Structures are given as C-alpha cells and as structure tokens.
Amino acid sequence: MQKLLERLIYLIASFLAVTVVLTLHEFSHAAVAYKCGDPTPKMNGRVTLNPMAHFDLLGLVMFTFAGFGWAKPVPINPYNFRSYRRGLTLTAVAGVAMNYLTAFLWCPLYLLALRGTGIEGLDYFLGLFTLFLYTYSLSFCVFNLIPLPPLDGWRVVEAVDRRQGSIYRFLQRYGNIILLVLIGYHFLVSVLSSSGYYEVSTILGYADVLGWIMNYVTQWIGWPIMKLWGLVF
C-alpha cells in the first residue's frame, strides 16, 4: 500500500511539473511570435497560460513517464514578422530560453524542499515536484535544441539556412521520422533497464543517441545553475 501511494504521488508530481514546463515553453513561443508581428498564435488561442491550449496527449504521456516529450506546436506565419529572420529566430529560441530561465528559478526551490517541513508525505511530494520542475525544464530545453522538425532547433535552422541544400531537404522530409525512431529506441532502452534487463539495455545503450544527448548535455548546461545556487545553500 505504501509503495502504491508513493507511486501515485510520483505520477501526480510528474504530471503537474510537466504541465507547468510545457505551458511556459509554448506560451513563450506564442507571446514572442505575437510581439514580432504575427497574429497567428493569438488567433489560435495560444497566447495563454491555460495548459489545455498547449497539450499534445502523446507528448504529455511521454513526458510524464519518460521524462521528455513535446507539446502542440504553436502555429506561426513567419511572413507576418516585421523581420523574417529575426522574428523566426527569436520565436524559435523563446521556448528553450524560458526553460533555462525557469530551471534557474526552480533550482533553489528544490534545494529548499530538501530541507523538509517535517511532514513526511508533504516533503516527499515537494521534493519530487520541485526536482521535476528543475530537471524537466532542462531536459525540455535540451530536447528542443535538437535540429530536427518539428523541434525548436529546426526553426533556428530554417531561420539561418537560406540555401536549403540536399541535407536540409532530407531532414525536412524525414526529420520527424528520425526523431520518432530516436525516441522509440531510447524508450525501449529505458523500459529494458527499468525491467531488470541490465545487460541488454547496456549493450543497446551504446547506440542510444538521444539518451547520450539528454544525459550529458543536460548535465553540462545544468552544472552552472547547481554550482551557483550551491554557493547560496
């Protein structure tokens, strides 16, 4: 019964953290695009902090259970921007910038939660919730920097690559399939590892490109945040 309750608290904390992280990410895209002159996000009801406007069901489930996922892309028309390249670039980086900024803000809350309140159940929830806010913000930041459609990294490529050569056209056509394969492979490795098939998951893990990116890049960009707040706490 105790383990079941802990698992329930874990899932609730994860879901709530995902809700916050995804909402802030997509809201920042919509708000920046609107400020740059494109009314499309406003017309589609995306300049809002209402989570329901941004959820993609599969991406939400993946984020809750796997630690990374996606939201419903914000529709934009870059030809409405006052400056095409500037507007597209700012809109693309707005989400990851928001995630990194909020990771910086969630970190001290997590460190404070570790001190506890003396109420066991509350301490467990707050510890998980603030940890998820921090780690999910970083992982979503890193995940969206991958230059494959429909992620933010691809929008940056679109903004700066005017030649649009053969590699660009290949990724534009097959990038989403490549991304799904990377996600599926990483999810398979994670399931095998959590199910106790450590030898198989270790062998397959060498080819887990997404896992390598998520683990090492997330640690790298999170190091300055932890280092700075570690001086305070």
Side-chain angles (χ1 to χ4, degrees):
M1 185 64 181
Q2 180 67 23
K3 288 186 177 180
L4 180 61
L5 180 60
E6 289 180 355
R7 182 60 180 171
L8 180 60
I9 294 174
Y10 179 97
L11 289 175
I12 292 173
S14 179
F15 177 80
L16 292 176
V18 167
T19 300
V20 173
V21 171
L22 291 184
T23 300
L24 290 175
H25 179 95
E26 296 304 324
F27 168 76
S28 64
H29 280 312
V32 170
Y34 183 65
K35 288 292 185 181
C36 288
D38 181 19
T40 308
K42 183 76 170 179
M43 292 165 56
N44 284 270
R46 301 300 297 276
V47 188
T48 177
L49 290 173
N50 179 4
M52 298 304 296
H54 305 295
F55 279 169
D56 175 276
L57 183 58
L58 180 58
L60 178 64
V61 170
M62 285 294 296
F63 213 144
T64 301
F65 288 93
F68 63 89
W70 56 90
K72 187 164 56 177
V74 173
I76 63 170
N77 183 352
Y79 295 103
N80 287 330
F81 292 143
R82 286 183 287 273
S83 170
Y84 178 92
R85 181 172 295 185
R86 181 173 180 271
L88 194 58
T89 302
L90 289 177
T91 300
V93 302
V96 295
M98 172 65 81
N99 286 143
Y100 195 73
L101 173 62
T102 51
F104 179 81
L105 299 176
W106 302 138
C107 184
L109 295 181
Y110 168 62
L111 296 176
L112 283 173
L114 289 179
R115 298 186 176 186
T117 64
I119 304 174
E120 185 176 353
L122 180 61
D123 286 343
Y124 181 64
F125 171 77
L126 290 177
L128 284 175
F129 179 56
T130 52
L131 174 62
F132 287 147
L133 284 173
Y134 171 69
T135 57
Y136 287 175
S137 293
L138 285 180
S139 64
F140 204 46
C141 175
V142 171
F143 182 67
N144 273 279
L145 286 173
I146 298 174
L148 291 173
L151 302 179
D152 299 340
W154 181 251
R155 288 187 174 181
V156 175
V157 172
E158 287 183 315
V160 300
D161 184 7
R162 288 304 186 115
R163 293 190 306 167
Q164 299 185 356
S166 57
I167 295 178
Y168 175 94
R169 292 193 298 272
F170 175 82
L171 292 177
Q172 186 181 45
R173 185 172 183 179
Y174 299 108
N176 57 341
I177 298 175
I178 296 172
L179 183 62
L180 287 175
V181 171
L182 292 176
I183 292 173
Y185 190 86
H186 176 73
F187 189 66
L188 173 62
V189 172
S190 300
V191 169
L192 289 173
S193 178
S194 62
S195 299
Y197 298 98
Y198 302 116
E199 292 183 359
V200 177
S201 64
T202 299
I203 294 173
L204 294 178
Y206 289 114
D208 183 11
V209 176
L210 185 59
W212 286 96
I213 293 173
M214 296 303 297
N215 289 331
Y216 289 99
V217 178
T218 300
Q219 290 178 18
W220 180 70
I221 69 170
W223 180 84
I225 296 176
M226 276 292 186
K227 195 70 174 178
L228 178 61
W229 285 114
L231 296 175
V232 179
F233 292 89

